[in-house]
Amino acid sequence: MKPETGTVPAPPDAEARRRVAPVICYPVESLPQPDLGAYRAARGGWTKTGEVIVPPREARTFDVPAGHFFRIVSIEGPQVGDLNLWAAGDTGERFFSGKTRALHGTHLSSCDRLWSCLPHLRPMATITEDTLGWYGFDAYGGSVHDVIGTRCDPYTHRLLSGGDYHHCCHSNLTRALAGRLGCPPEAAEPLVHDVLNVFMCTGFTRDTGQYFMKASPVRPGDFLEFFAEIHLLGALSACPGGDCSTEHSSAAAACHPLLVEIFRPAAPPHGWASPARNGYGCGAARYGIPDRHGES
């Protein structure tokens, strides 16, 4: 948090420095834009191929082939979820929330993409429908589906409360992934990463810049829909904070299950092709090391 007043006196031109206009770090006009109309048209005649119920305060894994859709659905009551994605068959390629945030902003909605980590950096999934898109940003600066938080975890819980709690989203995702990969939890834990906070309503306070949460506007029937750009392994935790209106990790909060549905379209979206991994460099050249001809 920034202190109310600094320890160093403000210079005479302090206000002029504050008035300097911001510059967008990553202009995205050159990014190929998804054809949302083609994606949505591909839903016509689709077939539901599977579903997974995520119990309250637990996580489950699921698979989505490239070219399929999946939805995360509120089914019984207001509930937020923490989503991890990996490239199927390569857990080293995973969702990169920080770069997704830098490209699309603090909160995601229709037409935004979930990008994978370096050195892969390609779209993993495209958001094709958001029934909470109407929410926008509220008077507190809050909005839904954020990529600014991490995930509730037992280490921070112990740091702040002195107690141990085993159903934080980090713990849930770790257990689910370990079960899926058939490995010990300690081997799966490093693969768990920062999430897309589905349905969660969050922002930063205007005075201290602190991360806040408030009651999610999600209701049964609301969903967030994605198109899998590559073959995905997903994991979703039904957060122990419920709708996150009171506590982030709690055995007392009212919690509800979430539903993941997977759909196979009759035909892929017009003009669609699964994206290749990022084309930047290869081998030593990727690190700016000269090749044997002395060229970088």
Side-chain angles (χ1 to χ4, degrees):
M1 293 181 288
K2 295 284 188 181
E4 290 186 11
T5 57
T7 57
V8 177
D13 63 344
E15 286 306 314
R17 296 192 201 183
R18 292 190 183 100
R19 287 195 299 268
V20 173
V23 176
I24 298 299
C25 295
Y26 294 101
V28 294
E29 289 78 14
S30 61
L31 275 181
Q33 294 300 305
D35 186 345
L36 205 55
Y39 284 119
R40 289 174 173 172
R43 297 185 300 201
W46 68 4
T47 303
K48 185 174 176 177
T49 60
E51 67 175 39
V52 174
I53 299 287
V54 182
R57 297 187 178 85
E58 292 293 348
R60 294 292 186 268
T61 61
F62 57 93
D63 289 273
V64 189
H68 286 48
F69 293 85
F70 68 101
R71 284 181 173 181
I72 298 174
V73 189
S74 168
I75 52 175
E76 289 186 10
Q79 175 66 43
V80 307
D82 285 39
L83 176 68
N84 265 188
L85 294 176
W86 300 264
D90 180 9
T91 52
E93 183 177 5
R94 64 193 74 171
F95 172 51
F96 190 177
S97 70
K99 189 60 68 180
T100 299
R101 177 175 65 248
L103 291 172
H104 297 302
T106 57
H107 298 77
L108 305 186
S109 191
S110 299
C111 222
D112 291 330
R113 289 178 148 164
L114 279 64
W115 294 81
S116 66
C117 63
L118 307 180
H120 314 284
L121 198 60
R122 58 175 169 169
M124 303 182 80
T126 299
I127 299 176
T128 48
E129 197 75 68
D130 173 13
T131 65
L132 294 178
W134 56 266
Y135 191 90
F137 284 88
D138 60 35
Y140 301 97
S143 191
V144 291
H145 315 312
D146 83 76
V147 280
I148 52 178
T150 52
R151 58 203 178 275
C152 57
D153 69 87
Y155 305 99
T156 305
H157 186 88
R158 184 174 179 82
L159 182 69
L160 297 177
S161 73
D164 291 339
Y165 185 67
H166 307 301
H167 289 274
C168 297
C169 287
H170 177 86
S171 312
N172 297 343
L173 293 166
T174 296
R175 287 193 300 271
L177 185 62
R180 170 56 189 272
L181 299 180
C183 66
E186 55 267 28
E189 185 175 19
L191 301 175
V192 173
H193 50 281
D194 285 351
V195 298
L196 170 62
N197 283 305
V198 179
F199 303 141
M200 192 170 180
C201 190
T202 61
F204 293 110
T205 58
R206 302 299 176 91
D207 51 353
T208 60
Q210 289 175 280
Y211 182 52
F212 72 76
M213 63 186 187
K214 55 181 291 191
S216 173
V218 69
R219 296 293 182 268
D222 280 321
F223 62 85
L224 189 62
E225 179 186 280
F226 306 80
F227 179 81
E229 300 286 352
I230 63 174
H231 189 175
L232 296 172
L233 167 62
L236 180 69
S237 172
C239 182
D243 68 355
C244 288
S245 59
T246 54
E247 296 181 81
H248 201 196
S249 302
S250 168
C255 294
H256 304 278
L258 291 170
L259 170 66
V260 179
E261 298 179 301
I262 297 108
F263 300 89
R264 181 183 65 242
H270 177 72
W272 173 79
S274 187
R277 288 182 168 89
N278 192 274
Y280 169 66
C282 62
R286 186 162 62 198
Y287 307 106
I289 300 172
D291 63 18
R292 59 191 179 91
H293 301 291
E295 300 175 353
S296 60

